[in-house]
Amino acid sequence: MLTGLYCVIKMEFQSTLLSVKQETYDVKTFRFAVPNDFTFKPGQFIMLTLDINGTQDSRAFSISSSPTEKGHIEITKKIGDSNYSQKLNSMQEGDTVKIKGPFGMFLLEEQEKNIILLAGGIGVTPFRCMIHYATDKKLANKIAVFYSNKKPEDIAFREEFDSLVKKNKNIKIIYTVTRPEESQQSHGA
């Protein structure tokens, strides 16, 4: 169960893009600097505002990095054709954005013994945050993640997740693919 009461102060600040990592052919992770006093709970999200041709455009993004990581947060996005997506995709290290948050009550409940998480595609981002947090904090929660994608090459964070499973015996990740025949790879999930 993912619930809980919490008290996190929402902040609004200008941030700098620190790095970009290609996760799959169409998914990237963006790392942004945050103030030292920025805190959040696993599962929360931020509003990210970009200046697109003089207009401020905001979108909500789950935080995909763990609260145990300090000095930065990460968001992960599937890059599409929208103006917002293209602007984010074209950003360079050092470019600035506005961040507001954290928001949301879709939280990892640390008191729950067994947790089952279901994700499709890039919807796995809050779960990445949660399983990193559980591993870093050495939580006793048993967490099973069912993670579905169309094709094996769509699976974001696969190597990272496989590494976490080896590190934390309480985490299990079950990958499924719904359209393996469309894969450009020669092997299945």
Side-chain angles (χ1 to χ4, degrees), residues 21-25 27-29 76 128 155-157 160:
K21 180 182 177 193
Q22 192 82 40
E23 300 291 350
T24 70
Y25 63 96
V27 172
K28 290 184 176 183
T29 294
T76 304
R128 176 185 184 237
I155 301 172
F157 315 118
E160 183 179 334

Side-chain angles (χ1 to χ4, degrees), residues 15-182:
S15 178
T16 303
L17 178 63
L18 299 174
S19 65
V20 179
K21 180 182 177 193
Q22 192 82 40
E23 300 291 350
T24 70
Y25 63 96
D26 65 348
V27 172
K28 290 184 176 183
T29 294
F30 300 84
R31 179 177 284 190
F32 293 97
V34 295
N36 290 334
D37 58 346
F38 180 81
T39 60
F40 66 98
K41 300 286 186 185
Q44 288 191 297
F45 68 94
I46 57 149
M47 296 300 294
L48 184 73
T49 303
L50 303 179
D51 184 329
I52 303 175
N53 301 320
T55 302
Q56 301 295 299
D57 194 355
S58 299
R59 297 286 192 280
F61 289 96
S62 293
I63 302 170
S64 57
S65 55
S66 171
T68 57
E69 300 172 48
K70 301 299 179 192
H72 70 268
I73 58 170
E74 294 176 346
I75 60 144
T76 304
K77 171 138 180 46
K78 182 174 183 176
I79 305 302
D81 295 329
S82 73
N83 289 339
Y84 187 95
S85 192
Q86 289 303 305
K87 173 69 175 186
L88 185 60
N89 191 39
S90 70
M91 291 183 67
Q92 302 293 315
E93 290 180 18
D95 287 351
T96 59
V97 299
K98 290 181 191 166
I99 293 177
K100 187 174 183 178
F103 299 97
M105 294 189 57
F106 181 68
L107 306 175
L108 176 68
E109 182 56 62
E110 295 181 39
Q111 287 69 35
E112 289 294 324
K113 186 175 180 181
N114 298 306
I115 299 171
I116 297 174
L117 305 171
L118 306 173
I122 201 60
V124 77
T125 57
F127 302 153
R128 176 185 184 237
C129 171
M130 291 175 186
I131 63 175
H132 267 286
Y133 179 82
T135 300
D136 293 345
K137 290 291 201 175
K138 299 181 181 353
L139 299 180
N141 309 73
K142 297 213 181 291
I143 302 173
V145 180
F146 291 86
Y147 180 25
S148 183
N149 286 274
K150 291 178 186 173
K151 305 172 293 206
E153 58 265 34
D154 294 335
I155 301 172
F157 315 118
R158 180 148 194 179
E159 288 179 17
E160 183 179 334
F161 285 162
D162 291 348
S163 174
L164 284 166
V165 166
K166 289 176 185 170
K167 206 190 251 188
N168 184 341
K169 65 180 175 55
N170 291 326
I171 295 174
K172 181 169 180 140
I173 300 180
I174 300 93
Y175 303 103
T176 65
V177 291
T178 58
R179 298 182 190 169
E181 70 280 359
E182 295 176 13

